Amino acid sequence: MLKRFLKEEAGQGMVEYGLIIALVAVVLIAALTLMGGNLKGMFENVADKVSAP
């Protein structure tokens, strides 16, 4: 029974996809955290130029 369990690969693909999605999420969160101040400044600059007469 243990040999059959170790050879079974049915759920392996879903686990790999889950790990890839988790890694992408961590990278995105880190990038947004590092660039947070710059992004805020850029959006405020655009908002000021759009609302200016």
Side-chain angles (χ1 to χ4, degrees):
M1 182 174 173
L2 184 59
K3 287 183 182 180
R4 187 180 73 180
F5 178 73
L6 292 175
K7 288 183 180 180
E8 191 172 318
E9 298 178 4
Q12 184 177 358
M14 293 302 289
V15 172
E16 290 172 355
Y17 286 127
L19 289 173
I20 291 170
I21 290 171
L23 179 63
V24 169
V26 168
V27 170
L28 284 175
I29 290 170
L32 290 175
T33 301
L34 292 173
M35 295 175 29
N38 292 338
L39 288 174
K40 182 180 178 185
M42 286 174 32
F43 281 117
E44 287 175 353
N45 188 19
V46 170
D48 290 341
K49 289 187 179 191
V50 168
S51 63

